[in-house]
Amino acid sequence: MTNNTTTVETADKISLEELKTWLWGSANIMRGTVDSSDFKNYIFGLIFLKRLSDVFDERVQAVMDEEDCSADVAMEIILEDNPEQFVPVDARWANLTKKSENVGESIDEAFAKIEEQNPTLEKVLTAIQFGDKEKLSNELLMRLLRHFNQHKLGNKNLYKADLLGDAYEYLIGKFADDAGKKGGEFYTPHEVVELIVKLIDPQPGHEIYDLTCGCGGMLVESARHIKENYDNGIVMGKPNCKLYGQEKNLGTWAIAKLNMFLHNLDGEIKRGDTLVNPLHKSGEGLQTFDRVIANPPFSIKEWWEPLEVNKKTKIDKNGKETEIAPKYATELKDKFGRFGLGIAPRTKADLAFVQHMIASTKDDGRIGVVVPHGVLFREGDEGKIRKGMLVGKDDFKGDLIEGVVGLPPALFFNTGIAAAVLIINKNKPAALKNKVIFVDASAEFGEGKAMNFLREADIKRITTEYNKAKQTLVDAGEQTEDNLSELLDYVAVEKYLRVVDIEEIKQNDFNLNISRYIDTSEEEEKIDIQDTLQRLSAIDQELKTTDEKLNKLLNLIGKFS
């Protein structure tokens, strides 16, 4: 079999739109052979391999030009000076495209050699196997290699160094859309991410953490926010921040690691169950961060594995062995002391994630987290935790919740329900003490075929009104009770935003359901009964007159028939 793979090189640099179309074309090659939810694992690996190989070729040529030496000598220099940038012979793209047999095994071997050369990539590239011929035939893989061979992905071929990162984000979104509900497991729509990042406003020099980071989109957006909005947002060509994340799913974790690489970001992404085994630690305790951001999985059940794997059993009256559900409230023990406000129910981990975030945030830090609406009003153990977040409990500080933003329905891949964003501030300015900003943004959104989405104008309105209310309170300074009431009325936006004093929240038993504080109902039109009766009488008289005219016409027709 012959292989006519030739790399198409053009003088023009590839644009973002061309890059998107080209890369998405690879998914269409796989369609019908591989489940759409698995596209990302194979394609992202090949993108990374192509990028790594093309950049290596550029470096070899640059050293040859600078040192006036041969390619072999240039490679030796790179291997000695920057071994993590060295690509072994069998992992170079040009050599892989020559394969016509055992193509999948060759790709697997290439990834293994790269990981061996670069320990920071251990288990990232080998997380998916290309050598499964029942899934990926030689012919299919050769088609993919030929497709990726149409363009080079070196720095000189892209308009900007992180252009491939932008295309990568596009693909993550496309794959999530293609995978349907499964897409929600690894991807949060970019518009929601952008909104949360703007609300928590990460700053240059910050350490930013996502405890359920998926493919790393929230971390990437946080870095972009710093880079684009602050004069000192870039240091030595990189966003001026450090990124940290943890992800449980092996394939998704690998993609997050590649996402950091392709965006040229300093990201420390670890793999594991954050609730049971948090991996970002400082000594015996948890590492803390300036900003913590997340979209944890909604209301997951049986979330504390040590209790679930050692469940006891009993024999029921019919002689059948049944499991005894562990009692989380009394049996769960956390060595990090994260759950001092209470243990989240076994059936709903939402507030376990939130409490982990609070424990992982510096004393002057801020948190943005997506939660299902039930977190705002459910009673029982969750109600007690929510109360503790508002007014404290024992040695745990309260007054943590700065804002609650209600989102439109059907924004997420894995659920059609509406969600909310909690903004938590561990160091509220004095003017915001014992107050919560409520925003009902549920009615303003764009409608898509399968999902709704936040438009640019929607994001701008939420962030503008939220920040304006905050700043107005801060600028006003200390207020008397009467003046405060007037000020809160002044900053309110009808049917959209209110700043609510803790006393009103206490009267509602610490229920944070947005509809209790913002009335979005439309006033019913008042009916004038006397006027309505008069109009009905006039209509009745008109009907009688019409009937009389009709009868006369019918009689007239009868005479001539």
Side-chain angles (χ1 to χ4, degrees):
M1 183 182 293
T2 59
N3 185 354
N4 297 319
T5 54
T6 56
T7 302
V8 177
E9 295 190 50
T10 63
D12 295 330
K13 294 187 177 185
I14 188 170
S15 70
L16 179 58
E17 289 308 313
E18 289 172 328
L19 196 57
K20 287 178 179 179
T21 302
W22 172 49
L23 295 178
W24 182 242
S26 60
N28 293 325
I29 291 173
M30 302 191 78
R31 201 174 299 282
T33 305
V34 177
D35 189 291
S36 59
S37 62
D38 291 330
F39 285 173
K40 62 186 186 304
N41 300 320
Y42 298 106
I43 290 171
F44 288 152
L46 290 178
I47 293 172
F48 178 84
L49 186 59
K50 181 74 163 68
R51 166 73 167 167
L52 197 67
S53 190
D54 287 348
V55 170
F56 176 71
D57 289 343
E58 278 187 353
R59 287 183 179 132
V60 170
Q61 186 60 55
V63 173
M64 289 170 63
D65 294 341
E66 290 170 9
E67 303 294 333
D68 191 21
C69 63
S70 67
D72 289 340
V73 172
M75 290 181 197
E76 289 177 7
I77 293 172
I78 293 172
L79 181 58
E80 183 177 344
D81 294 345
N82 298 291
E84 74 283 354
Q85 298 174 359
F86 183 83
V87 179
V89 175
D90 291 338
R92 293 171 197 163
W93 189 263
N95 292 331
L96 284 173
T97 57
K98 295 174 184 176
K99 303 287 183 180
S100 59
E101 295 180 357
N102 299 322
V103 181
E105 290 90 335
S106 297
I107 295 172
D108 289 338
E109 290 171 10
F111 285 152
K113 287 179 183 291
I114 291 172
E115 287 188 4
E116 186 179 334
Q117 191 71 38
N118 193 335
T120 62
L121 293 174
E122 184 180 0
K123 296 183 180 179
V124 173
L125 300 171
T126 52
I128 192 74
Q129 294 296 310
F130 282 79
D132 184 350
K133 290 183 178 178
E134 291 187 9
K135 269 190 176 182
L136 304 170
S137 67
N138 281 324
E139 289 73 20
L140 175 65
L141 289 173
M142 289 171 67
R143 282 186 65 199
L144 276 174
L145 291 174
R146 283 196 297 268
H147 179 79
F148 280 113
N149 216 39
Q150 293 175 22
H151 298 281
K152 281 189 175 291
L153 294 176
N155 290 327
K156 68 179 182 180
N157 306 107
L158 306 176
Y159 276 114
K160 57 178 181 175
D162 63 352
L163 184 71
L164 190 58
D166 295 343
Y168 194 83
E169 281 186 74
Y170 160 80
L171 281 184
I172 292 173
K174 287 284 283 183
F175 287 138
D177 191 17
D178 218 47
K181 286 192 174 182
K182 287 184 180 179
E185 297 173 6
F186 62 86
Y187 179 75
T188 301
H190 182 265
E191 296 83 6
V192 177
V193 176
E194 182 184 345
L195 170 66
I196 300 172
V197 169
K198 286 182 174 179
L199 288 171
I200 65 172
D201 189 24
Q203 308 278 313
H206 272 180
E207 294 182 316
I208 304 158
Y209 170 59
D210 183 345
L211 62 156
T212 56
C213 68
C215 289
M218 287 187 162
L219 296 174
V220 170
E221 182 61 29
S222 296
R224 179 183 290 122
H225 175 84
I226 292 170
K227 175 182 174 182
E228 295 180 354
N229 290 281
Y230 293 95
D231 291 339
N232 58 338
I234 302 175
V235 175
M236 297 182 68
K238 291 185 176 185
N240 184 10
C241 60
K242 278 193 168 183
L243 306 175
Y244 303 80
Q246 186 163 335
E247 171 55 40
K248 186 176 182 179
N249 181 278
L250 173 61
T252 306
W253 165 81
I255 292 171
K257 294 273 284 186
L258 298 181
N259 206 0
M260 297 297 109
F261 177 89
L262 292 172
H263 278 93
N264 193 30
L265 297 173
D266 291 326
E268 188 178 309
I269 312 299
K270 299 190 176 184
R271 184 169 71 89
D273 184 331
T274 304
L275 291 180
V276 173
N277 185 27
L279 295 174
H280 292 285
K281 291 180 281 192
S282 176
E284 295 298 313
L286 295 175
Q287 184 176 353
T288 56
F289 306 91
D290 300 286
R291 295 289 186 269
V292 179
I293 184 169
N295 176 19
F298 287 176
S299 303
I300 59 172
K301 303 176 181 178
E302 302 178 8
W303 49 273
W304 192 260
E305 190 174 339
L307 289 179
E308 299 299 337
V309 297
N310 297 313
K311 282 184 281 195
K312 298 175 182 177
T313 60
K314 66 178 180 179
I315 306 298
D316 64 18
K317 60 183 179 181
N318 298 318
K320 183 180 179 182
E321 186 178 53
T322 59
E323 291 182 340
I324 301 174
K327 297 179 181 178
Y328 276 43
T330 56
E331 297 178 38
L332 190 154
K333 306 299 179 187
D334 174 45
K335 66 180 181 180
F336 298 104
R338 291 171 291 176
F339 308 131
L341 296 176
I343 306 295
R346 180 182 183 231
T347 56
K348 297 176 181 68
D350 306 299
L351 286 175
F353 283 116
V354 171
Q355 287 191 85
H356 171 82
M357 297 176 81
I358 293 170
S360 300
T361 305
K362 293 179 181 178
D363 290 340
D364 60 349
R366 303 182 70 202
I367 297 167
V369 56
V370 182
V371 296
H373 268 281
V375 166
L376 304 178
F377 58 78
R378 288 193 294 247
E379 298 180 351
D381 292 329
E382 289 181 292
K384 294 174 184 176
I385 296 170
R386 191 171 57 247
K387 177 181 177 181
M389 291 169 64
L390 288 163
V391 295
K393 178 186 175 183
D394 300 331
D395 294 331
F396 288 85
K397 175 186 173 184
D399 197 16
L400 296 172
I401 299 176
E402 176 186 292
V404 180
V405 179
L407 299 175
L411 290 182
F412 301 91
F413 288 102
N414 54 346
T415 178
I417 66 171
V421 175
L422 282 184
I423 302 299
I424 295 170
N425 189 342
K426 292 185 76 172
N427 186 30
K428 286 185 182 180
L432 292 180
K433 297 281 188 188
N434 295 311
K435 301 176 191 65
V436 177
I437 303 170
F438 286 88
V439 177
D440 187 339
S442 61
E444 298 179 358
F445 56 89
E447 294 185 10
K449 290 181 180 179
M451 292 168 50
N452 297 327
F453 59 93
L454 290 174
R455 299 162 297 192
E456 186 177 341
D458 303 326
I459 296 171
K460 184 175 181 180
R461 187 182 186 201
I462 294 168
T463 54
T464 299
E465 297 293 357
Y466 187 97
N467 290 328
K468 185 167 76 173
K470 276 179 61 176
Q471 195 59 48
T472 301
L473 288 169
V474 170
D475 290 345
E478 191 173 342
Q479 299 287 307
T480 65
E481 189 172 330
D482 290 340
N483 288 343
L484 177 61
S485 178
E486 292 178 8
L487 181 61
L488 296 186
D489 287 340
Y490 173 75
V491 299
V493 179
E494 187 178 7
K495 300 184 186 298
Y496 192 77
L497 180 148
R498 272 193 72 208
V499 180
V500 180
D501 189 80
I502 190 65
E503 291 303 319
E504 184 176 345
I505 295 172
K506 285 180 182 178
Q507 291 169 14
N508 282 307
D509 294 324
F510 303 100
N511 186 318
L512 296 180
N513 197 348
I514 298 170
S515 61
R516 291 202 174 206
Y517 305 100
I518 298 178
D519 181 8
T520 59
S521 61
E522 296 294 333
E523 186 177 345
E524 293 185 9
E525 184 182 353
K526 292 183 179 179
I527 298 175
D528 187 326
I529 296 177
Q530 189 61 39
D531 179 66
T532 301
L533 289 173
Q534 289 176 355
R535 285 191 287 114
L536 287 172
S537 177
I539 292 170
D540 188 49
Q541 184 59 48
E542 189 176 341
L543 286 171
K544 288 180 181 179
T545 302
T546 302
D547 284 342
E548 290 174 0
K549 290 180 180 179
L550 182 59
N551 287 332
K552 288 180 180 179
L553 288 171
L554 291 173
N555 289 334
L556 184 62
I557 292 170
K559 290 180 180 180
F560 291 97
S561 61

